[in-house]
Amino acid sequence: MAAELPEYAERVLDTADRIPPGRVMTYGDVAEWLEEGGPRQVGRVMALYGGAVPWWRVVRADGGLLPGSELRALEHYRAEGTPLREAGRAADGHIPRIDMRRARWDGGD
């Protein structure tokens, strides 16, 4: 039998699950949406329990991809049509960033 999730974790995961394909929310956006916690608390929940939801849709505010999971996330972003900004030649590993201006979701329709 799986252990019951803390109520805050359930709320964070439910919010992540609601983000439409091709869109993202920052850790801070999720905390603001829930009117509880902050980016670090949301990040902790995603690190511990996020594998059960579309974790790649909850991102850093700068649009940088999650270190260690960049390639897996990139596959999801490309499959969902998430707006990306291609990396410049100087960028580490030439990994694109999310185009936050176009991809950010505010929780509305």
Side-chain angles (χ1 to χ4, degrees):
M1 180 170 146
E4 195 169 312
L5 287 178
E7 190 263 342
Y8 182 71
E10 286 187 15
R11 292 177 61 217
V12 168
L13 298 177
D14 182 57
T15 302
D17 222 14
R18 293 170 182 252
I19 302 169
R23 305 299 298 276
V24 298
M25 288 179 95
T26 68
Y27 297 105
D29 291 341
V30 172
E32 195 174 304
W33 174 259
L34 296 174
E35 298 179 345
E36 184 180 352
R40 288 178 187 260
Q41 290 84 359
V42 171
R44 178 88 175 134
V45 169
M46 293 304 294
L48 291 173
Y49 311 111
V53 297
W55 52 268
W56 58 91
R57 296 182 193 154
V58 181
V59 300
R60 296 178 356 190
D62 67 0
L65 306 192
L66 186 65
S69 298
E70 299 96 338
L71 297 180
R72 284 190 330 157
L74 202 50
E75 285 179 30
H76 290 291
Y77 298 138
R78 288 188 169 140
E80 294 182 356
T82 305
L84 298 172
R85 291 176 38 222
E86 289 305 318
R89 279 183 270 168
D92 192 30
H94 305 291
I95 301 288
R97 291 182 174 271
I98 296 164
D99 184 337
M100 294 302 292
R101 190 179 53 76
R102 294 174 42 224
R104 200 169 200 169
W105 186 61
D106 64 5
D109 293 332

